[in-house]
Amino acid sequence: MAEIEIKTAPADFRFPTTNQTRHCFTRYIEYHRCVNAKGEATADCEKFAKYYRSLCPAEWVEKWNEQRDNGTFAGPL
């Protein structure tokens, strides 16, 4: 049986406190900027996807995805 390696986002000096809300939001933005620039099937963007998925609550991601679909997302994409 293959061993599964579980990782989370690495430490980021921009977010030194324990509150990871901004870190989550920034990683979500970075992922979508990468996808817009390089396309969805790009390995370069997959690391950002792993980071935001490990940091962000699923409810937030669902809400942000809905907002992006509706054109009401407040973030800089």
Side-chain angles (χ1 to χ4, degrees), residues 63-76:
K63 182 177 179 180
W64 293 337
N65 287 338
E66 285 178 24
Q67 290 174 344
R68 281 187 321 102
D69 292 341
N70 295 332
T72 61
F73 185 70

Side-chain angles (χ1 to χ4, degrees), residues 12-62:
D12 191 325
F13 69 91
R14 297 174 293 178
F15 310 102
T17 63
T18 56
N19 183 346
Q20 294 296 305
T21 303
R22 285 185 53 199
H23 192 180
C24 154
F25 187 73
T26 300
R27 295 299 188 175
Y28 181 84
I29 297 292
E30 288 173 336
Y31 169 72
H32 287 286
R33 283 183 176 169
C34 183
V35 167
N36 289 340
K38 298 182 179 185
E40 277 198 50
T42 306
D44 294 341
C45 300
E46 193 56 35
K47 69 179 180 182
F48 295 119
K50 287 179 184 175
Y51 296 166
Y52 89 75
R53 289 178 185 142
S54 71
L55 291 166
C56 302
E59 296 83 18
W60 293 6
V61 173
E62 289 173 18

